[in-house]
Amino acid sequence: MSAGPGETAPRPALYRDHRDLTPFRTPVIRTPVRGLANGVAGAVAGRTRGSLPVEGGAPRLGKVGGRAPGKAAKTVHAAIFASSDPDRLIALAHANPGWAGLCYLMAGLQSYAQGGHLRSSELLQRGLLIRNDDDANSYASVYLARVITRVAVAERVEVPVLFSEEAAFLALSHSLRETGQGEAALAALTGLPPSLPMALASCSLAASLGRHLDVVADTDGLLNGDDLSAALLLVRARSLRKLGDDREARAALQEVLRRRKTDFTLRSDALTDRALLLLDNGRKVLNRFEWQHRQPTELETVRTLRKDAELHELWDREYGLADDGD
């Protein structure tokens, strides 16, 4: 039953993804010594160096929409799977208007994979605005379904995403963020189906924009079920710390540490953040039962007592023996 006019409807939880099948593959938690190829564990094979990775290897071109492939299909197929040059796809977009949207989109994904975020954002936005003809759409549904884009959804967290609306918009959002367009990056995620990768990208952006209340509301009730949820809990804890809610921040960090299979890097970040919280609270060590730092007046008293004891020791050392002799 929907909420009435005077009631407050509950805020939807971004992290709940009820789909049986999603375009996302196993996330990669980046470290200085871990290569990105570990994220798909052998699922990508047989591709041209520098081109977009494909799950199971690049497909061989056959019929498109029940018909033999035309010239446009052949040239676009070669530009996607046998090349890593976005300019080649841009030229094909000009030569084949019915395929322009698809060509710009794939050129944008190629640029994104190569780290060209400014160019990627421009090409992806152009590709998403142009409608393709039926042949291009049929080709995309058959031959691009296994193309993978490794999208950075948060700091050091990358998710391989199969060719889809989510792959395009997540890549666009990250490119906009990298070029300093935080608000546009957040807007690019609006309307995507709920999922942990989308929630992590959205909350990371919201936190960077200072919208910590939104982060806390969107992650309320989140449990550590996998590495993505653990990374999202870290974002939640940091926002809670910014808001001054240290108790809830500690609870979020403890949830990260609860699951033993959580990636070592995330557990290490949680321990570091917990230490920072304890320092904020004036604690001397990581044990919550240890004493806190003394107040300035108490410290002065300690210093006075210590100095007095030192003077007594000095007196005994210099004059004590003489007194004993008398």
Side-chain angles (χ1 to χ4, degrees), residues 26 32 59 143 176 206 278 311-312 318:
T26 305
Y143 295 102
L176 290 170
L278 293 172
L311 289 173
H312 276 288
E318 294 292 336

Side-chain angles (χ1 to χ4, degrees), residues 81-150:
F81 295 108
S83 173
S84 59
D85 184 7
D87 289 334
R88 186 170 171 181
L89 282 164
I90 294 172
L92 289 173
H94 291 290
N96 303 276
W99 291 68
L102 179 61
C103 289
Y104 282 126
L105 199 60
M106 299 310 296
L109 292 179
Q110 284 186 346
S111 295
Y112 176 78
Q114 297 163 14
H117 294 295
L118 180 58
R119 194 180 196 198
S120 173
S121 64
E122 295 171 349
L123 291 170
L124 287 171
Q125 289 181 87
R126 185 179 300 183
L128 290 167
L129 290 174
I130 300 175
R131 298 188 63 178
N132 301 297
D133 62 21
D134 292 340
D135 286 344
N137 289 330
S138 297
Y139 170 84
S141 63
V142 174
Y143 295 102
L144 300 184
R146 296 294 174 182
V147 172
I148 290 177
T149 302
R150 297 192 184 101

